[in-house]
Amino acid sequence: MIGDIIMTRQWGISTELIHDQHTTERKIGAVAQPIVPAVAYSFENHKMASDTVSGKEDGIYYGRYGNCTLRAFEEKMAALENGEAALGLGSGMAAISSTLFGVLQNGDHLIVTKDVYGGTYHFLTTLAPRCGISFSLVDCTDIDCIVKAIQPNTKAVYIETPSNPLLTILDIKAIAQVTKQYDLPLIVDNTFMSPCLQKPLELGADIVIHSATKYLNGHGDVMAGVIVADAKFIHFIRQQIMGDLGQVLSAWDAFLILRGLKTLGLRMERHCSNAHKIATFLENHPLVEKVYYPGLKSHPQYEIADRQMKGMGGIVSFEMKGGSATATAFIDALKLSMISFSLGDPETLVQHPATMTHSSLPETERLAAGITDGLIRLSAGLEDIEDIVADLEQAFDKVNELSKRNGVGTHA
Ligand SMILES: Cc1ncc(COP(=O)(O)O)c(C=O)c1O
């Protein structure tokens, strides 16, 4: 039955998240993915073992290079992102650093979108220079800026869209046209979207990265990352980088993500609709200076977002009037939403980028990137929207009272 469906039509994303289009046989009949924690794998003869380690034969031979459960996750991610192959690793940063070590060597230069995730910035300013790798932060909303930033030793372009935390939308197709012209691989961090909402490889990107810690797993109980790219690159990273740095993802964690993926379609729908309602509420609040959400018509790249993304995502950032004091008083006053560094979980999570996720950026660079002291990033959870909005409302009221009491001119 399933075979007939596979042959006759392409599944929708929710079906694909739950079933395996690309699995031709169901080996043991288990409906849920079996967990295989084995580190060592045996071979019928020496030739099979040596062909597997040399890559002549595809297979799993030692736990530091992968395991069966992880392989199932990797195959699922390659299919979802429409890539040739995928590699699961122990965190999003492991995926980012391994990819960058895979494309860059001593003396090479990278072009990076200017409001990149704080951990990526930290890698580029600490580990990368120790390996002789340099980078330029570029306003990638302007294609000319990308072209102007290309140096003779530039070896790749790295973008995040929507970006963390300012939700800047970059035109993947337009950027890919330029990177192809200059023969530079385009790397896209697709964490904020998940393959449900955006498939960068279909838009011309070469490598896709996710922090699977976020939406893919979706339950806040696994650290993981994934790279999707062509099979040759993935093989290289698995054998030459992940194997040496030892960032493999365990079978237990791969199982949890596979379980989480089954509800990704449903979760993303709810994250998006809750975020949109929160953004609309915030846009009309007198204590809010500015709202960043690609689903709002006021967003500067609304048109690109509308064309490029299947949904506007679950993250809303906003700037409070009154800077750091009001922003931190506001998040302290929240009762339902939690102060947390992560995102993409069932719970609504808030954080203050200037002092939390992006604290590694020097103040001048942080402000130049638009990450002000009054900025708050909110990850819309899966709760009832009325409860999230009521929580925000009571926190605004508290800040308002505080401002009035202290005579600060930020109150509504
Ligand atoms: C956009 C983005 N990319 C990558 C990462 C890093 O992921 P991890 O924390 O799983 O290493 C994060 C973490 O917040 C992120 O927001």
Side-chain angles (χ1 to χ4, degrees), residues 89-96 116-120 158 160-165 189-192 209-214 222-226 341-343 351 357-358 377:
L89 302 98
S91 70
M93 278 314 300
I96 291 167
V116 77
Y117 167 60
T120 309
Y158 182 99
E160 244 177 60
T161 179
S163 67
N164 184 359
D189 183 334
N190 202 25
T191 299
F192 273 29
I209 287 167
H210 285 273
S211 165
T213 314
K214 309 297 188 299
V222 168
M223 288 297 306
V226 62
F341 286 83
S342 203
L343 58 95
Q351 64 106 3
T357 50
H358 289 68
R377 186 192 74 193

Side-chain angles (χ1 to χ4, degrees), residues 384-401:
D384 292 298
I385 185 62
E386 297 76 15
D387 295 328
I388 304 173
V389 171
D391 187 36
L392 299 173
E393 243 162 4
Q394 68 78 28
F396 277 128
D397 289 348
K398 221 169 258 167
V399 170
N400 211 11
E401 269 168 42

Side-chain angles (χ1 to χ4, degrees), residues 277 325 376 399:
K277 286 172 188 153
I376 294 170
V399 170

Side-chain angles (χ1 to χ4, degrees), residues 126-408:
T126 52
L127 252 183
R130 291 179 63 157
C131 304
I133 294 165
S134 61
F135 72 99
S136 303
L137 288 177
V138 173
D139 177 2
C140 294
T141 58
D142 183 342
I143 303 286
D144 287 346
C145 290
I146 302 177
V147 174
K148 278 190 199 128
I150 297 173
Q151 301 177 10
N153 59 341
T154 301
K155 291 289 157 55
V157 174
Y158 182 99
I159 62 170
E160 244 177 60
T161 179
S163 67
N164 184 359
L166 289 172
L167 289 311
T168 307
I169 305 298
L170 302 175
D171 189 335
I172 301 175
K173 215 175 198 173
I175 296 174
Q177 272 166 11
V178 170
T179 55
K180 283 203 173 24
Q181 206 179 319
Y182 288 85
D183 204 17
L184 300 170
L186 174 63
I187 308 162
V188 180
D189 183 334
N190 202 25
T191 299
F192 273 29
M193 288 280 92
S194 90
C196 284
L197 305 184
Q198 179 171 275
K199 300 197 186 207
L201 298 180
E202 292 180 359
L203 298 169
D206 301 284
I207 302 168
V208 171
I209 287 167
H210 285 273
S211 165
T213 314
K214 309 297 188 299
Y215 292 108
L216 298 183
N217 176 56
H219 292 76
D221 47 14
V222 168
M223 288 297 306
V226 62
I227 309 166
V228 186
D230 65 76
K232 195 170 160 215
F233 184 74
I234 292 297
H235 180 74
F236 173 74
I237 303 281
R238 187 191 299 283
Q239 297 303 122
Q240 307 303 332
I241 295 183
M242 187 187 80
D244 284 358
L245 297 180
Q247 316 130 306
V248 73
L249 188 65
S250 79
W252 312 98
D253 286 340
F255 165 77
L256 285 172
I257 306 170
L258 280 162
R259 188 166 69 166
L261 279 176
K262 295 196 185 208
T263 56
L264 180 67
L266 274 176
R267 287 189 282 107
M268 290 316 291
E269 271 176 38
R270 181 68 166 253
H271 283 302
C272 290
S273 76
N274 277 358
H276 205 128
K277 286 172 188 153
I278 293 166
T280 309
F281 164 76
L282 291 170
E283 207 173 31
N284 294 313
H285 201 284
L287 284 180
V288 175
E289 186 73 50
K290 193 169 178 183
V291 181
Y292 299 85
Y293 185 64
L296 294 177
K297 296 231 164 87
S298 57
H299 190 286
Q301 294 99 30
Y302 172 78
E303 303 283 314
I304 303 171
D306 198 37
R307 176 171 18 101
Q308 179 168 279
M309 295 145 54
K310 285 212 177 82
M312 298 299 183
I315 310 295
V316 184
S317 291
F318 58 103
E319 207 174 303
M320 297 249 333
K321 289 179 182 161
S324 184
T326 25
T328 52
F330 174 79
I331 62 173
D332 280 346
L334 291 165
K335 289 180 175 157
L336 177 73
S337 311
M338 301 177 190
I339 301 174
S340 170
F341 286 83
S342 203
L343 58 95
D345 289 356
E347 299 82 10
T348 295
L349 304 175
V350 294
Q351 64 106 3
H352 183 236
T355 53
M356 291 174 65
T357 50
H358 289 68
S359 58
S360 66
L361 269 77
E363 195 180 357
T364 44
E365 273 178 40
R366 174 171 63 74
L367 293 174
I371 305 168
T372 60
D373 293 336
L375 189 76
I376 294 170
R377 186 192 74 193
L378 180 149
S379 168
L382 305 174
E383 302 96 337
D384 292 298
I385 185 62
E386 297 76 15
D387 295 328
I388 304 173
V389 171
D391 187 36
L392 299 173
E393 243 162 4
Q394 68 78 28
F396 277 128
D397 289 348
K398 221 169 258 167
V399 170
N400 211 11
E401 269 168 42
L402 266 177
S403 315
K404 275 186 194 153
R405 211 177 308 144
N406 300 336
V408 184

Side-chain angles (χ1 to χ4, degrees), residues 82-119:
N82 215 352
E84 253 177 43
L87 180 69
L89 302 98
S91 70
M93 278 314 300
I96 291 167
S97 54
S98 300
T99 298
L100 293 177
F101 279 141
V103 294
L104 303 164
Q105 296 187 50
N106 192 337
D108 290 345
H109 170 258
L110 177 74
I111 291 175
V112 187
T113 184
K114 77 177 164 57
D115 55 329
V116 77
Y117 167 60

